[in-house]
Amino acid sequence: MSLRSPRLWLGLALGIAAGLLYGWVLQPVELYDTAPSSLREDYRTDYVLMVAEAYGVEADRTQAVVRLAALGPQPPIEFVESAIAYATANGFAAQDIERLSRLARGLGTAPPAAGIQPP
Protein backbone atom coordinates (compact mmCIF):
# COMPACT_ATOMS: atom_id res chain seq x y z
CA MET A 1 0.00 0.00 0.00
CA SER A 2 1.53 3.32 -0.98
CA LEU A 3 1.25 6.65 0.79
CA ARG A 4 -0.99 7.88 -2.03
CA SER A 5 -3.67 5.28 -1.36
CA PRO A 6 -7.01 6.92 -0.55
CA ARG A 7 -7.94 4.00 1.73
CA LEU A 8 -4.91 4.69 3.91
CA TRP A 9 -5.82 8.36 4.33
CA LEU A 10 -9.51 7.57 4.87
CA GLY A 11 -8.64 5.01 7.56
CA LEU A 12 -6.26 7.45 9.24
CA ALA A 13 -8.87 10.24 9.21
CA LEU A 14 -11.59 7.92 10.56
CA GLY A 15 -9.28 6.67 13.30
CA ILE A 16 -8.39 10.18 14.42
CA ALA A 17 -12.05 11.26 14.29
CA ALA A 18 -13.14 8.22 16.32
CA GLY A 19 -10.39 8.84 18.89
CA LEU A 20 -11.34 12.49 19.30
CA LEU A 21 -15.04 11.64 19.56
CA TYR A 22 -14.36 9.04 22.24
CA GLY A 23 -11.91 11.21 24.22
CA TRP A 24 -13.75 14.51 24.04
CA VAL A 25 -17.42 13.51 23.94
CA LEU A 26 -18.04 9.97 25.15
CA GLN A 27 -15.43 9.61 27.91
CA PRO A 28 -13.85 13.01 28.66
CA VAL A 29 -11.31 13.36 31.45
CA GLU A 30 -12.83 14.50 34.72
CA LEU A 31 -10.63 16.73 36.86
CA TYR A 32 -10.86 16.70 40.64
CA ASP A 33 -9.44 19.11 43.18
CA THR A 34 -8.01 16.93 45.89
CA ALA A 35 -7.08 18.25 49.30
CA PRO A 36 -3.49 17.70 50.48
CA SER A 37 -4.96 16.02 53.58
CA SER A 38 -5.89 13.02 51.42
CA LEU A 39 -2.29 12.31 50.35
CA ARG A 40 -0.69 8.94 51.02
CA GLU A 41 2.07 8.95 53.62
CA ASP A 42 4.90 8.96 51.07
CA TYR A 43 3.42 11.92 49.18
CA ARG A 44 2.63 13.69 52.46
CA THR A 45 6.29 13.27 53.43
CA ASP A 46 7.35 14.75 50.09
CA TYR A 47 4.97 17.68 50.68
CA VAL A 48 6.41 18.32 54.14
CA LEU A 49 9.91 18.09 52.65
CA MET A 50 8.99 20.74 50.08
CA VAL A 51 7.72 22.95 52.91
CA ALA A 52 11.03 22.34 54.72
CA GLU A 53 13.00 23.31 51.60
CA ALA A 54 10.95 26.50 51.21
CA TYR A 55 11.46 27.24 54.92
CA GLY A 56 15.21 26.80 54.46
CA VAL A 57 15.18 29.51 51.79
CA GLU A 58 12.54 31.87 53.19
CA ALA A 59 12.95 31.32 56.95
CA ASP A 60 9.28 32.28 57.29
CA ARG A 61 7.81 30.25 60.15
CA THR A 62 4.30 31.62 59.63
CA GLN A 63 4.25 30.62 55.96
CA ALA A 64 5.53 27.14 56.84
CA VAL A 65 2.73 26.73 59.39
CA VAL A 66 0.15 27.86 56.81
CA ARG A 67 1.50 25.37 54.26
CA LEU A 68 1.47 22.53 56.79
CA ALA A 69 -2.07 23.42 57.89
CA ALA A 70 -3.26 22.25 54.46
CA LEU A 71 -2.49 18.70 55.59
CA GLY A 72 -5.14 18.68 58.31
CA PRO A 73 -6.19 19.95 61.72
CA GLN A 74 -3.31 18.39 63.69
CA PRO A 75 -0.52 20.62 64.99
CA PRO A 76 2.04 21.22 62.19
CA ILE A 77 4.85 19.71 64.24
CA GLU A 78 3.07 16.33 64.14
CA PHE A 79 3.28 16.31 60.34
CA VAL A 80 6.97 17.14 60.49
CA GLU A 81 7.70 14.48 63.09
CA SER A 82 5.79 11.92 61.04
CA ALA A 83 7.71 12.94 57.92
CA ILE A 84 11.04 12.60 59.75
CA ALA A 85 10.08 9.12 60.97
CA TYR A 86 8.99 8.05 57.48
CA ALA A 87 12.08 9.57 55.85
CA THR A 88 14.40 7.86 58.34
CA ALA A 89 12.67 4.50 57.95
CA ASN A 90 12.71 4.67 54.15
CA GLY A 91 16.29 5.76 53.56
CA PHE A 92 15.83 9.39 52.53
CA ALA A 93 19.06 11.34 52.08
CA ALA A 94 20.61 12.73 55.26
CA GLN A 95 20.31 16.23 53.77
CA ASP A 96 16.56 15.83 53.45
CA ILE A 97 16.22 14.57 57.02
CA GLU A 98 18.28 17.52 58.21
CA ARG A 99 16.00 19.93 56.31
CA LEU A 100 13.01 18.35 58.03
CA SER A 101 14.79 18.61 61.38
CA ARG A 102 15.52 22.31 60.80
CA LEU A 103 11.86 22.85 60.08
CA ALA A 104 10.95 21.03 63.30
CA ARG A 105 13.37 23.22 65.27
CA GLY A 106 11.96 26.29 63.54
CA LEU A 107 8.48 25.29 64.63
CA GLY A 108 9.73 25.16 68.20
CA THR A 109 10.27 21.45 68.78
CA ALA A 110 13.15 19.19 67.97
CA PRO A 111 11.90 15.62 67.32
CA PRO A 112 13.95 12.58 68.39
CA ALA A 113 15.44 12.08 64.90
CA ALA A 114 16.64 15.71 64.75
CA GLY A 115 20.12 14.75 65.91
CA ILE A 116 21.17 13.63 62.43
CA GLN A 117 24.09 15.70 61.23
CA PRO A 118 24.27 17.00 57.64
CA PRO A 119 26.99 15.40 55.45
Side-chain angles (χ1 to χ4, degrees):
M1 194 178 260
S2 73
L3 290 177
R4 291 190 230 174
S5 172
R7 290 185 350 184
L8 174 70
W9 292 108
L10 180 62
L12 185 61
L14 287 175
I16 290 173
L20 291 174
L21 176 70
Y22 182 79
W24 286 352
V25 177
L26 300 176
Q27 291 289 327
V29 174
E30 294 182 31
L31 301 177
Y32 298 97
D33 288 330
T34 303
S37 60
S38 67
L39 293 173
R40 282 189 335 223
E41 186 176 11
D42 54 337
Y43 289 122
R44 193 173 333 120
T45 300
D46 288 340
Y47 181 87
V48 175
L49 180 56
M50 287 186 274
V51 171
E53 289 172 348
Y55 176 77
V57 173
E58 300 168 350
D60 186 349
R61 182 182 187 275
T62 304
Q63 187 63 39
V65 169
V66 168
R67 289 172 176 151
L68 291 171
L71 292 174
Q74 296 90 341
I77 192 63
E78 288 183 18
F79 296 117
V80 179
E81 290 172 345
S82 175
I84 290 172
Y86 183 87
T88 303
N90 289 284
F92 278 46
Q95 297 164 328
D96 292 340
I97 296 171
E98 178 56 30
R99 284 184 185 106
L100 291 167
S101 298
R102 269 192 231 125
L103 176 60
R105 288 191 299 273
L107 293 176
T109 307
I116 297 174
Q117 297 298 320

